[in-house]
Amino acid sequence: MSFPNLSALAVKERAITLFFLILAVIAGIYAFMALGRAEDPPFTVRALVVSAYWPGATPEEMQQQVADRLEKRLQEVPSLYKIETSVRPGQVSLQVEFFDHTPKAQVPDLFYEVRKRMQEEAVSLPAGVMGPIVNDDFADVYFSLVALTAPGLPMRELTRDAEALRDRIRMVPGVRKALILGERSERVFVEFDPVRLNNLGISPQAVFQAIDAHNRLLPAGRLETEGPRVYLRLDTDLSDLDELSSVPLRIGDRLIRLSDIATVTPGYEDPPGYLVRSRGNDAMLVGVVMESGVNGLELGERLSRFIAKERETLPLGMNIEVLTNQAEAIAGAVSLFQVKFFVAIAVVVAVSMLAIGVKAGLIVGVAVPLTLGITFLIMLLMNINLDRVTLGALILALGLLVDDAIIAVEMMLVKMEAGWDRVRAAAHAWNVTAAPMLFGTLVTVAGFIPVGFAQSAVGEYTGNIFWVLGIALVVSWLVAVVFVPYLGVKLLPDMPAHHGGTAAYQTPGYRRLRAWVTWCVVHRKTVVFATVGLLVVAIVGMATVVQKQFFPASDRPEVLVSVYLPQGSSMTTTDTTVSKIEALLAPDDDIRSLSAYIGAGAPRFFISASPEMPNPAFAKLIAVTHDAKARDRVITRLQQAIASGAFPEARVRVTGLLYGPPVVWPVAFRVVGPDPQVLRDIGHAVRRHMQANPHILDAHLEWDERAPQLHLSMDNARLRLLGLTPLEVSQQLQFQLDGLVISQLRQNIRTVDVVARMQRPWLDDTQAQADALGQIEILTPEGRKVPFAQLGQVETRFEEPLIKRYNRQRSLMVQADVQGAQPNDVSASIWRALAPVRDTLPPGYALQMAGTIEESGKGESSIQKLQPVMFAAMLVFIMLQMRSFSGTFMVVATAPLGLIGAVLALLLFNQPFGFVALLGLTGLAGILMRNTLILTQQVADNFEAGMTALEGVVEAAVQRARPVVLTALAAVLAFVPLTLDTFWGPLAFVLIGGVAVGTAITLLFVPALYGLWFRIRAA
């Protein structure tokens, strides 16, 4: 290598080398302590939610008058990927998602574009529509969820305490945001006695006007004096409920108080829109969002101390409970890394000591933490945290970064055995191995280019694998050519000299290897075609036999319980089912915390746990157990209860967390088209095919029900004769059933709606509820009472309780769980079976794959797009080193052969092939080409030394056998601890199988390929 000999320089200037070695150790320790800790890498959720409300509107009216208009404006925003719309009576929610390849720096601008267009469209929406409201906090991942409960204390008092707690938490260093979740909107109810109201002959509207007149804040004028400007103030504040009860009402010449005809009581939104409970008690949550780059372990400790202090000052009966805490997951991941790190170092050192001696193994053992220390320092400078991805990449790097150190030490040993002194041997290691090691390292790094630059959600999530591995491997080369020669000069023992250095390769083991390699060269066609045949078998096996998945299941201890009632069910019905589940789980000793979320999903406490949209027929329970084994026990017990029919009124689904992008149901198919009944027919056909698959569990349609509604057909002419209008009828009905907002009270920092309604004694009487409409009377302007039944014909009609739309088209999802197989395999099998359904679809209808296979397709396609770039970079590095087409071909030919070992390992250990395993397979090509590159360089050196073709090829394999086998063995054993990790396990198995078989390929197939290429004949 024409570059200055760094190895010779390092052993010449030993004091400087030692100084930098010590400095690297100290800097590495400091960097490791200073690096930020997080559960997951920084990730931009490119989604937000837009909501709008129109009380009284049917789903069809919401779709036509609100949803369609908002969707049209949203489609003007650039980089839009999809809009998923849920329309229910009086409300619409639109989940807006942008393309994965959208640069995260542009996301705030896109959110602004959405807000701007929604504000512009708001003025053109029908009167009475509230919103649209843009929620970009939807993407927040909560570091911790803290529940505040106080059984028996009014929720409005608990809300004030929660606000104070939020303000104090916000002051904790490292907290970016603290939000109150689960707050119930306060109301003040004025409930009228219908008998007294009618006997006094006073109309409700007159009462409403009187209340508003005593509460409205209006200017009362001012006086301009020679001194100050003096404002005139009036008492127009009814925030005190006693003041509200005392509002005077005039009836002829008499004055009465509001309390004479109505009761004034504080309360909450009725029915509630969203309920949160902790251990069965009403709760307020404070969600904590961590600052980017903060050490999560340290923030977790600060929050623990803060919560401990808060508990000491809590009023009697009030409790604080931490429901979820990322610090625990981070601590577990870091501890696991440290254990696996020391195990990997011990394995590498032990293998090195057994193969090349105690002191040589010790040098390799020193090189590993030295490399990682410098890597930590560069990570700190690049603002890369320690998280799930980078920790896995570092453990992965442990199996690769030893290669350069072993090669350098082994070359020194070979030359010292040939009679060279230490300094000369150290300098020679640079001349022979520095360039092949560097280009081999760059080839390995290039194998992970698709991961580092993939424009997708999974690419952003796993992208730091490329950077961390690249840093670690380049640093390992630097350590191998600078510090390893220095340590070799200091630590390697004296070697007995062998004439010419060839005696070291004449041991029985080397002689047997030489015979095998010679046989492979002589029978080159057999070896090459047999290898190609194995590759074809591996490709077929990967396509057919190997299980497929997207991302593996998480090892976190949470149990997720999703409760689905028939669409259109009330919050009360949903709450009743949730209470039954809470009662079942409450005494379970395996559960540390239990929280319930009724009417919508849980906040995003895990990056892959996307909150479900508001739905009165849905609830979510989160049970946090002590560990993964306890989680599995809880899941088993709960599934047994469900199977025994404990909750027949609902679909109750129990799952754990999954890594990767959010996927609600693993197997799903989307039907799109205009007519809901045709969508149902197609959906039922799809479900029948799904149910025919033995691995499908609980196949169902996302919506299928039609909800009953009461429709009053009125004779408008007769209504006018009574002096009434549809508006007045609807207002009176609303007043008697739900209530009317007639004013707002100003209470400190809040405004509380005043809701007027009739007393409803029939609410607590099931029999009376059935005849509720029969008790309603409408008051005419003349004071006459008209029974509700006389207003017109009351009919029971059915309407869609839910309208789902996907990119402005009506959609229906047919979805299911999977048992005994991987979702991708099951989805592909069902898709093939659905061919007759797809072929007979009416015009305007489409059937699309959804679920796991849709998301995995996005991630894998982003990797595949960059594979040409990866291969081009590899070819450049290989060509720069080999400087010949034949040598480059030899190296490239081994790239796909790692698939043989990878498929074998996946099948032997029953592991699925998913996105994480794809990363390993992509990088495996670089690892194999690196070994081949060093071997082919040795062949070229032997040819230059004057060896014959056969001798040069065979001896090259023999000479490189010890470092190749040693590095492969160290890598395989270093990857073994990674196989126990749920996230990185499939990748570890791919690399173990690929590297093990790749070693044999390097030593046996490459010589045979040389023999075939150069037509080498036996001597």
Side-chain angles (χ1 to χ4, degrees):
M1 195 170 183
S2 59
F3 197 78
N5 191 324
L6 296 181
S7 300
L9 191 62
V11 296
K12 179 181 179 182
E13 303 290 346
R14 299 182 191 179
I16 295 177
T17 305
L18 178 61
F19 168 76
F20 280 110
L21 190 151
I22 296 171
L23 184 63
V25 170
I26 296 173
I29 294 172
Y30 166 78
F32 180 74
M33 303 301 294
L35 278 171
R37 265 75 164 175
E39 182 179 13
D40 291 287
F43 181 77
T44 303
V45 179
R46 295 165 173 81
L48 51 75
V49 173
V50 178
S51 305
Y53 304 89
W54 191 11
T58 66
E60 283 290 344
E61 290 168 335
M62 286 297 299
Q63 173 189 253
Q64 295 168 0
Q65 293 293 314
V66 181
D68 190 67
R69 298 185 188 185
L70 298 182
E71 289 170 340
K72 287 178 182 176
R73 295 305 308 273
L74 287 170
Q75 284 190 321
E76 299 171 5
V77 181
S79 300
L80 182 69
Y81 169 57
K82 67 179 179 181
I83 306 172
E84 291 186 331
T85 306
S86 301
V87 185
R88 292 185 170 82
Q91 71 178 64
V92 60
S93 299
L94 301 94
Q95 185 168 329
V96 183
E97 186 175 332
F98 299 98
F99 281 111
D100 288 346
H101 57 70
T102 305
K104 59 182 179 182
Q106 292 183 10
V107 172
D109 294 334
L110 294 174
F111 285 6
Y112 166 74
E113 291 290 333
V114 171
R115 287 194 205 91
K116 184 180 72 172
R117 282 167 173 77
M118 293 300 97
Q119 289 173 359
E120 292 171 353
E121 191 63 26
V123 297
S124 64
L125 293 176
V129 174
M130 295 177 285
I133 302 163
V134 179
N135 174 22
D136 55 7
D137 289 333
F138 173 79
D140 285 337
V141 180
Y142 292 99
F143 180 85
S144 184
L145 291 174
V146 181
L148 193 63
T149 58
L153 185 71
M155 283 295 291
R156 60 182 175 276
E157 300 295 335
L158 189 63
T159 301
R160 307 298 187 269
D161 291 310
E163 288 174 340
L165 177 65
R166 174 204 56 197
D167 294 340
R168 292 192 293 272
I169 285 183
R170 182 64 187 83
M171 303 303 293
V172 175
V175 174
R176 178 170 67 89
K177 190 187 297 185
L179 300 175
I180 289 182
L181 308 169
E183 178 182 359
R184 290 185 62 182
S185 299
E186 295 181 37
R187 298 286 187 269
V188 171
F189 293 102
V190 180
E191 296 185 313
F192 291 85
D193 183 340
V195 176
R196 303 195 68 182
L197 196 64
N198 291 335
N199 290 339
L200 290 170
I202 185 171
S203 69
Q205 284 71 23
V207 179
F208 303 162
Q209 292 169 4
I211 293 173
D212 189 54
H214 283 78
N215 188 55
R216 179 167 297 193
L217 182 61
L218 291 173
R222 65 189 181 193
L223 299 175
E224 296 288 344
T225 69
E226 294 181 359
R229 173 181 292 174
V230 179
Y231 289 91
L232 192 60
R233 308 293 190 193
L234 302 181
D235 290 330
T236 55
D237 183 8
L238 298 180
S239 58
D240 187 336
L241 298 192
D242 291 335
E243 292 286 340
L244 178 59
S245 300
S246 301
V247 168
L249 305 173
R250 182 176 177 176
I251 304 175
D253 296 330
R254 296 173 52 201
L255 282 179
I256 65 172
R257 294 183 176 183
L258 179 62
S259 58
D260 294 332
I261 60 172
T263 57
V264 178
T265 55
Y268 308 96
E269 180 185 20
D270 183 26
Y274 186 49
L275 293 174
V276 177
R277 287 202 292 268
S278 174
R279 290 283 182 184
N281 298 311
D282 289 337
M284 296 286 296
L285 299 188
V286 178
V288 180
V289 181
M290 183 176 69
E291 285 277 9
S292 179
V294 168
N295 188 320
L297 289 177
E298 295 178 358
L299 176 58
E301 293 173 358
R302 289 194 290 270
L303 284 176
S304 296
R305 291 194 296 268
F306 172 84
I307 296 297
K309 289 181 180 178
E310 288 293 322
R311 286 197 175 108
E312 295 174 356
T313 59
L314 282 179
L316 187 64
M318 190 175 291
N319 300 305
I320 288 182
E321 183 177 14
V322 178
L323 300 180
T324 64
N325 186 6
Q326 281 191 12
E328 296 175 355
I330 297 169
V334 173
S335 299
L336 191 64
F337 166 75
Q338 292 172 343
V339 170
K340 293 177 179 178
F341 170 71
F342 288 117
V343 168
I345 288 182
V347 166
V348 169
V349 172
V351 169
S352 302
M353 286 181 174
L354 289 174
I356 54 179
V358 174
K359 291 188 176 180
L362 185 61
I363 293 172
V364 175
V366 171
V368 172
L370 188 60
T371 300
L372 288 178
I374 300 174
T375 302
F376 290 144
L377 179 61
I378 298 173
M379 287 173 61
L380 181 63
L381 296 175
M382 293 179 63
N383 198 29
I384 298 176
N385 294 335
L386 287 176
D387 51 50
R388 187 189 319 280
V389 170
T390 55
L391 286 173
L394 286 168
I395 297 173
L396 178 63
L398 288 175
L400 304 176
L401 56 82
V402 298
D403 292 14
D404 290 340
I406 289 175
I407 291 170
V409 171
E410 196 271 345
M411 181 55 67
M412 287 185 65
L413 290 174
V414 168
K415 291 306 175 184
M416 289 173 65
E417 288 172 352
W420 292 25
D421 63 77
R422 291 185 181 83
V423 175
R424 186 183 173 197
H428 180 74
W430 167 272
N431 295 328
V432 176
T433 62
M437 286 194 309
L438 176 59
F439 285 110
T441 295
L442 295 176
V443 167
T444 304
V445 174
F448 291 91
I449 283 177
V451 185
F453 297 95
Q455 298 296 310
S456 65
V458 290
E460 182 180 355
Y461 183 80
T462 58
N464 278 337
I465 295 177
F466 167 77
W467 298 105
V468 173
L469 274 175
I471 293 167
L473 293 179
V474 172
V475 169
S476 73
W477 175 84
L478 189 64
V479 169
V481 299
V482 175
F483 295 116
V484 167
Y486 167 80
L487 293 172
V489 170
K490 287 289 187 180
L491 298 178
L492 286 180
D494 294 328
M495 296 287 179
H498 303 288
H499 179 67
T502 58
Y505 299 113
Q506 300 303 322
T507 62
Y510 277 117
R511 285 199 295 269
R512 283 194 296 271
L513 175 62
R514 186 177 288 107
W516 292 343
V517 175
T518 303
W519 186 91
C520 289
V521 174
V522 172
H523 301 86
R524 47 192 174 273
K525 291 184 179 179
T526 302
V527 173
V528 170
F529 289 119
T531 305
V532 173
L534 288 175
L535 177 61
V536 172
V537 171
I539 293 172
V540 174
M542 178 63 79
T544 57
V545 183
V546 175
Q547 303 175 68
K548 308 297 189 304
Q549 70 169 189
F550 185 24
F551 271 87
S554 169
D555 57 357
R556 283 187 51 144
E558 287 86 357
V559 176
L560 279 60
V561 184
S562 301
V563 182
Y564 302 87
L565 273 81
Q567 296 292 350
S569 298
S570 66
M571 278 282 291
T572 303
T573 306
T574 307
D575 191 23
T576 302
T577 302
V578 171
S579 297
K580 291 165 60 178
I581 299 174
E582 287 176 316
L584 177 65
L585 295 177
D588 199 322
D589 293 333
D590 282 330
I591 296 176
R592 285 189 299 158
S593 71
L594 176 64
S595 55
Y597 310 86
I598 303 105
R604 193 192 299 268
F605 64 94
F606 181 66
I607 196 167
S608 299
S610 185
E612 290 82 359
M613 292 295 96
N615 179 4
F618 175 80
K620 193 94 163 188
L621 291 90
I622 309 294
V624 182
T625 62
H626 295 286
D627 51 37
K629 292 182 178 179
R631 175 200 63 192
D632 295 340
R633 290 194 297 268
V634 171
I635 290 176
T636 300
R637 288 193 290 267
L638 195 48
Q639 287 177 337
Q640 289 172 350
I642 295 168
S644 66
F647 316 105
E649 71 277 16
R651 173 176 288 108
V652 181
R653 180 176 182 236
V654 186
T655 60
L657 288 169
L658 294 173
Y659 294 120
V663 176
V664 181
W665 293 90
V667 176
F669 300 92
R670 183 186 303 109
V671 189
V672 294
D675 189 330
Q677 190 54 50
V678 176
L679 291 179
R680 283 187 174 92
D681 294 340
I682 299 172
H684 284 293
V686 172
R687 184 176 66 176
R688 285 192 293 271
H689 282 84
M690 294 174 69
Q691 289 173 328
N693 190 296
H695 300 295
I696 283 294
L697 184 68
D698 188 25
H700 64 280
L701 277 63
E702 182 182 20
W703 53 265
D704 193 16
E705 310 86 353
R706 289 174 61 83
Q709 311 294 329
L710 293 177
H711 182 81
L712 177 61
S713 298
M714 296 183 293
D715 184 341
N716 289 332
R718 184 172 181 275
L719 202 63
R720 283 308 298 160
L721 289 175
L722 293 172
L724 295 171
T725 64
L727 174 63
E728 291 169 336
V729 172
S730 65
Q731 287 178 339
Q732 290 198 45
L733 289 174
Q734 179 77 1
F735 169 58
Q736 297 190 53
L737 293 174
D738 287 341
L740 293 170
V741 177
I742 59 173
S743 188
Q744 286 186 326
L745 304 184
R746 301 176 295 279
Q747 295 183 343
N748 297 323
I749 62 173
R750 296 176 177 275
T751 55
V752 179
D753 288 342
V754 179
V755 178
R757 65 187 182 187
M758 283 291 194
Q759 292 176 359
R760 301 175 296 172
W762 43 267
L763 274 181
D764 299 324
D765 186 344
T766 305
Q767 184 62 36
Q769 286 183 36
D771 192 38
L773 292 180
Q775 303 178 35
I776 293 177
E777 294 176 326
I778 302 300
L779 195 66
T780 68
E782 293 81 16
R784 293 170 51 202
K785 292 182 285 188
V786 181
F788 175 78
Q790 294 183 14
L791 294 175
Q793 183 68 32
V794 179
E795 302 173 349
T796 301
R797 296 183 180 180
F798 289 86
E799 68 181 22
E800 304 289 349
L802 170 66
I803 297 175
K804 294 288 289 188
R805 289 161 65 92
Y806 182 84
N807 286 341
R808 299 193 60 212
Q809 289 184 291
R810 278 201 189 231
S811 67
L812 171 62
M813 294 282 280
V814 189
Q815 48 206 15
D817 269 319
V818 173
Q819 57 182 359
Q822 292 298 328
N824 285 23
D825 296 330
V826 176
S827 296
S829 174
I830 295 173
W831 185 251
R832 290 191 294 270
L834 286 172
V837 177
R838 297 198 304 274
D839 294 339
T840 57
L841 288 175
Y845 292 83
L847 180 61
Q848 303 168 352
M849 298 188 79
T852 300
I853 204 161
E854 181 181 38
E855 291 295 331
S856 63
K858 290 194 299 180
E860 291 171 4
S861 65
S862 66
I863 296 291
Q864 292 165 1
K865 286 179 182 177
L866 287 167
Q867 285 179 341
V869 178
M870 173 192 77
F871 287 120
M874 288 178 169
L875 285 173
V876 169
F877 295 137
I878 295 168
M879 193 66 183
L880 287 175
Q881 171 60 30
M882 299 307 302
R883 305 188 182 189
S884 71
F885 285 99
S886 59
T888 300
F889 169 75
M890 296 293 170
V891 175
V892 173
T894 60
L897 300 181
L899 185 65
I900 300 171
V903 171
L904 182 63
L906 291 173
L907 292 176
L908 283 177
F909 295 98
N910 194 30
Q911 293 293 310
F913 181 82
F915 184 82
V916 179
L918 177 64
L919 303 183
L921 191 62
T922 303
L924 182 61
I927 295 171
L928 294 184
M929 285 192 285
R930 179 192 193 193
N931 286 339
T932 308
L933 184 66
I934 296 174
L935 176 60
T936 52
Q937 183 62 45
Q938 185 67 54
V939 172
D941 292 344
N942 288 351
F943 287 171
E944 288 182 7
M947 292 186 182
T948 63
L950 177 63
E951 184 184 12
V953 171
V954 172
E955 289 306 315
V958 171
Q959 291 166 348
R960 302 315 305 159
R962 182 165 66 174
V964 167
V965 172
L966 188 57
T967 55
L969 186 61
V972 167
L973 295 178
F975 293 149
V976 168
L978 209 58
T979 61
L980 306 177
D981 189 90
T982 55
F983 185 80
W984 295 104
L987 177 143
F989 280 109
V990 165
L991 290 177
I992 286 173
V995 169
V997 173
T999 302
I1001 288 172
T1002 303
L1003 296 178
L1004 302 176
F1005 170 76
V1006 173
L1009 191 60
Y1010 259 104
L1012 189 64
W1013 184 270
F1014 291 103
R1015 299 178 182 178
I1016 298 175
R1017 298 185 179 278

